[in-house]
Amino acid sequence: MKTNFKKFALGAVVMGASTLLLAGCGNSSKNESAAKDDSSAKVSGNIKLWIDTEQKDTFTKIVKDFEKEYPDVKVDVKVGQSADAKKDVSKDPEKAADVFMLPHDQVGQMAEAGLLYKNTKYADEVKKNNIPSAVEGATWKGDLYAYPYGVETQVLYYNKSVLSEEDVKSWTGITTKGKMGTNFAEEGANYIFAPLFMSNGDVLFGKSGEDLKGTDFNNEKGIQVLDWIAKQKSNPGVVQSSATAIAKLTSGETSAFLSGPWSKNDVKKALGDNMGVAAYPTVDFGNGEVPMKAFLGVKLIGVNQQTKHPLAAMALANYITGEKAQLTLFENHGIIPSNKADQEVQEVQDDAVAKAVLAMSDDEHSVVMPKLPEMVSFWPAMDALINDTYKGNIKADQYQAKLDKFVADISKENK
């Protein structure tokens, strides 16, 4: 399972909201009370951990260290978990792993479905040690439900033989001096360009990302964003590319590319020593340059609500997302740590992709992807809006009506 939030976002289009039918699964209050009341009790039990196949060796070593610290806990490390934790756990929660990986945009759905055990013991520690955006990604309705171990945003890759550091500071600079290869016309444009609305001052599901009626894209700022998207069709510095993005970068047809840490090796292979990495450029919607925002994803570890050993499961989740573990995951797999101390380590600071992601992970440059279950309706509607606007299928005098319908459609509660 190669986990990146672009894949989760696209997958959400075809996922139903069926997990919500599991709401009330298990006895949440009983288990949470037990964990709180027995917090000084002996941490013991046999528990199961589901992890990414590619990270088996790393987590196996981390777990061995955990078992030395907690000798009464035995962990069975299992691999092969799919990219959809919600689906995997909901099949049979009692047989699912006690501890597992999940993307943060599933927190709301899994919490509402009674699949996640609240972080009742280590919440203060997690909040203290991780950056605010990562804590936000692990939180649902004010409660911490998971344990962050990494952050992920898209960044700008560029060809240093064509574009300078000054050129890549703005969209205009990139598309005047070089060519931006990106996707406005196909599936997946939603993940890249939906944050443009937030760049221009709008909000998606409110400032908290949890307000179903809180989207305000259907205003003058939203119209400006659609107008900007439409103009990119005639921008000679913009080349439509999706699956061919790396090929066009390799051939020199394009000189810049928006993607995430998962593309680092491919871009390095394409550009070699000419690979440059930077935070997103600024864009101008008509009111001056503003930072172009990206969605921020948070990599999480969750605890199964049905675990028979909550103290052991929480201890494991906290340990494998701690400072030492996060640095190991960065060194072995390039996962950008959410831990504040790890972000200051020279090794992390010296990594070009990590440095760009860290620059993108503040409120000025990114927005934490909302966790509302209704995001399942957002993705296809946003793709259609961007694709049709770029292709010219939506005319300027239709922008307001299209935005009104878009906001109305995504504000309907999933039944």
Side-chain angles (χ1 to χ4, degrees):
M1 176 184 67
K2 203 171 189 70
T3 56
N4 68 66
F5 283 86
K6 181 177 181 181
K7 292 184 179 181
F8 288 125
L10 296 179
V13 174
V14 294
M15 290 176 197
S18 58
T19 310
L20 296 178
L21 298 176
L22 294 170
C25 175
N27 192 330
S28 175
S29 59
K30 178 180 178 181
N31 285 349
E32 287 158 19
S33 296
K36 290 177 182 176
D37 295 343
D38 299 336
S39 59
S40 61
K42 186 176 181 180
V43 178
S44 62
N46 295 331
I47 57 178
K48 186 191 303 181
L49 169 66
W50 275 348
I51 53 94
D52 186 337
T53 304
E54 296 175 356
Q55 297 165 11
K56 177 184 178 181
D57 292 342
T58 299
F59 272 103
T60 297
K61 291 176 182 177
I62 294 173
V63 165
K64 285 183 179 178
D65 290 338
F66 167 81
E67 289 178 330
K68 290 177 183 177
E69 188 167 329
Y70 293 89
D72 295 309
V73 180
K74 299 301 177 185
V75 183
D76 182 14
V77 180
K78 294 291 186 182
V79 300
Q81 177 188 356
S82 78
D84 186 0
K86 171 173 61 67
K87 179 180 177 181
D88 294 336
V89 175
S90 64
K91 285 179 181 177
D92 191 338
E94 291 188 2
K95 292 183 179 180
D98 300 86
V99 182
F100 49 84
M101 292 176 164
L102 74 153
H104 88 265
D105 59 335
Q106 290 191 356
V107 168
Q109 299 173 63
M110 295 187 74
E112 292 293 316
L115 298 172
L116 285 177
Y117 194 104
K118 286 182 185 178
N119 184 344
T120 59
K121 188 172 181 181
Y122 301 99
D124 290 342
E125 182 178 333
V126 168
K127 292 175 182 178
K128 176 183 177 181
N129 294 336
N130 293 275
I131 61 173
S133 55
V135 174
E136 181 183 342
T139 301
W140 178 248
K141 294 184 177 178
D143 291 318
L144 197 66
Y145 273 92
Y147 306 70
Y149 68 94
V151 291
E152 188 170 270
T153 72
Q154 293 215 151
V155 295
L156 173 72
Y157 293 100
Y158 67 97
N159 189 331
K160 292 192 291 186
S161 70
V162 178
L163 296 164
S164 68
E165 290 184 9
E166 188 63 30
D167 294 334
V168 302
K169 288 181 179 180
S170 71
W171 185 273
T172 299
I174 295 169
T175 59
T176 300
K177 301 292 184 62
K179 292 186 182 295
M180 172 70 81
T182 191
N183 174 27
F184 283 104
E186 300 175 33
E187 181 183 17
N190 49 18
Y191 181 77
I192 305 170
F193 293 112
L196 286 175
F197 290 91
M198 285 75 88
S199 300
N200 205 29
D202 286 340
V203 293
L204 175 60
F205 295 128
K207 292 182 179 180
S208 67
E210 296 183 11
D211 180 1
L212 182 60
K213 304 295 183 181
T215 304
D216 63 354
F217 290 10
N218 56 333
N219 55 19
E220 183 57 34
K221 293 176 181 178
I223 290 174
Q224 288 177 338
V225 171
L226 292 187
D227 181 62
W228 184 89
I229 291 172
K231 289 177 179 175
Q232 301 315 303
K233 186 71 164 62
S234 58
N235 185 341
V238 173
V239 177
Q240 167 61 27
S241 60
S242 183
T244 59
I246 294 294
K248 289 180 178 178
L249 197 65
T250 304
S251 69
E253 185 177 346
T254 62
S255 46
F257 169 52
L258 301 173
S259 190
W262 54 88
S263 293
K264 175 183 177 180
N265 292 337
D266 289 335
V267 177
K268 184 66 176 178
K269 184 178 179 180
L271 299 179
D273 292 340
N274 285 322
M275 183 181 84
V277 190
Y280 267 16
T282 59
V283 289
D284 187 351
F285 300 109
N287 306 309
E289 298 286 339
V290 294
M292 180 180 177
K293 291 190 175 185
F295 277 128
L296 181 135
V298 185
K299 292 176 177 291
L300 301 173
I301 294 292
V303 172
N304 189 340
Q305 175 59 48
Q306 297 300 305
T307 180
K308 294 180 175 62
H309 305 285
L311 291 177
M314 285 193 290
L316 176 64
N318 191 59
Y319 189 92
I320 64 178
T321 58
E323 180 180 342
K324 182 180 178 181
Q326 285 196 34
L327 189 58
T328 299
L329 287 165
F330 170 76
E331 292 170 343
N332 292 359
H333 304 284
I335 296 172
I336 315 303
S338 60
N339 182 276
K340 295 175 184 177
D342 284 342
Q343 291 190 354
E344 297 301 321
V345 172
Q346 197 62 46
E347 183 181 358
V348 177
Q349 289 288 321
D350 288 343
D351 184 278
V353 174
K355 188 175 181 179
V357 170
L358 295 181
M360 289 291 294
S361 63
D362 61 25
D363 291 341
E364 185 179 9
H365 295 92
S366 63
V367 57
V368 178
M369 190 184 295
K371 305 176 289 290
L372 273 176
E374 283 74 16
M375 281 294 286
V376 71
S377 301
F378 168 84
W379 296 114
M382 177 51 67
D383 249 348
L385 189 62
I386 294 171
N387 294 170
D388 287 341
T389 299
Y390 176 77
K391 294 174 183 177
N393 296 334
I394 300 175
K395 306 303 180 184
D397 61 359
Q398 299 175 299
Y399 289 165
Q400 185 65 61
K402 290 292 184 180
L403 287 169
D404 287 341
K405 185 177 187 305
F406 171 82
V407 171
D409 287 348
I410 69 168
S411 301
K412 297 174 182 177
E413 185 174 358
N414 283 334
K415 299 296 185 182

